[in-house]
Amino acid sequence: MAGTFITFEGIDGSGKSTQLRLVSNFLREHGCETVLTREPGGTTIGSRLRAALLDANEEVDPLTELLVFAADRAQHVRRVLRPALAAGQVVISDRYADATVAYQGAGRGFDSSLISQIVELATEGLVPDLTLLFDISVRESTSRTMRRSNARNKRDRLDIEHADFHERVREAYLQIATSEPNRVKVIDTSGSVETTQGKVKAILIPFLRT
Ligand code: TMP
């Protein structure tokens, strides 16, 4: 039996990881076990790649960055996502291939056909059944990531990119949602965590029932 593959996407500071935690607790309490995973870092080697990719002291060439995200994804697809989906599980991933289109494509400026080829190679054509895109202005997301990094006393390498980088990433995500409205649902996260959680449940619960 084929499982269900759901992804959460959005610019840094959009609130997606908080929402993912809350909704997975909710689903578990209601008897729906989900496999929670993420990119980068959904496998053991992926965790090591994640640490290297997000290290703000690391100088990573954009091509290296693109290929390492793809390597992380190849391992994730083959060792985690495909087996879980083949076993009929509901899998929710905090980021997946849309992030490469948005960050490395629009953010770094790689050609869209190269991005498509690399995404296809790493995913072997595995496309999410549903993607929730958490949307917020760059101004608001930046103040959230600043607060988070001050609390952790640490900033991730991509968080410190300029606002126009994050604007391009946001626009690319919204463009994906416009071109694939059946798969990608946009959720405005400018309200409270509770308000956003209500919107997440309103999409996810009926989807999982079908
Ligand atoms: P996270 O903090 O939401 O887990 O994401 C880690 C960072 O990696 C975030 O800044 C987005 C970035 N990223 C890419 O640039 N390309 C990708 O393909 C993925 C999966 C993440």
Side-chain angles (χ1 to χ4, degrees):
M1 178 187 138
T4 305
F5 182 29
I6 298 166
T7 59
F8 280 28
E9 296 278 1
I11 58 174
D12 299 280
S14 61
K16 70 180 165 46
S17 307
T18 305
Q19 294 299 329
L20 195 152
R21 259 194 313 279
L22 290 174
V23 83
S24 73
N25 289 344
F26 172 84
L27 292 172
R28 188 173 324 109
E29 283 159 14
H30 288 77
C32 176
E33 279 303 329
T34 55
V35 175
L36 282 194
T37 185
R38 69 174 177 180
E39 287 192 8
T43 61
T44 51
I45 191 170
S47 306
R48 296 161 75 177
L49 297 176
R50 179 185 176 90
L53 280 166
L54 301 191
D55 185 345
N57 297 318
E58 197 70 65
E59 270 189 34
V60 186
D61 185 87
L63 180 60
T64 310
E65 180 184 276
L66 171 64
L67 295 174
V68 178
F69 277 118
D72 168 77
R73 181 160 307 125
Q75 183 80 0
H76 193 216
V77 168
R78 288 159 167 259
R79 300 299 170 98
V80 175
L81 299 178
R82 290 260 188 221
L85 293 169
Q89 292 180 291
V90 175
V91 180
I92 310 185
S93 184
D94 187 342
R95 294 195 191 280
Y96 184 62
D98 293 326
T100 290
V101 175
Y103 281 82
Q104 281 65 53
R108 299 288 186 224
F110 279 104
D111 180 72
S112 61
S113 71
L114 175 68
I115 294 286
S116 304
Q117 285 174 46
I118 292 199
V119 163
E120 180 63 31
L121 182 69
T123 62
E124 302 172 318
L126 177 66
V127 176
D129 299 299
L130 174 71
T131 296
L132 300 188
L133 171 55
F134 293 86
D135 185 51
I136 183 100
S137 71
V138 169
R139 179 193 282 255
E140 178 60 22
S141 72
T142 305
S143 77
R144 288 181 185 181
T145 50
M146 294 281 264
R147 280 200 297 275
R148 185 176 66 193
S149 345
N150 290 343
R152 286 192 292 168
N153 203 16
K154 178 173 173 273
R155 297 201 74 187
D156 287 347
R157 192 174 54 83
L158 284 111
D159 287 352
I160 54 185
E161 284 293 336
H162 290 294
D164 52 346
F165 175 89
H166 293 290
E167 291 288 2
R168 289 198 299 279
V169 172
R170 181 183 181 208
E171 281 312 310
Y173 269 134
L174 291 171
Q175 185 58 51
I176 297 170
T178 304
S179 52
E180 294 181 69
N182 290 334
R183 173 174 71 88
V184 185
K185 308 293 175 199
V186 181
I187 295 181
D188 171 4
T189 68
S190 57
S192 68
V193 170
E194 294 72 26
T195 306
T196 304
Q197 183 63 186
K199 295 177 187 172
V200 172
K201 286 180 186 162
I203 297 173
L204 216 47
I205 294 169
F207 181 83
L208 290 173
R209 281 210 190 102
T210 57

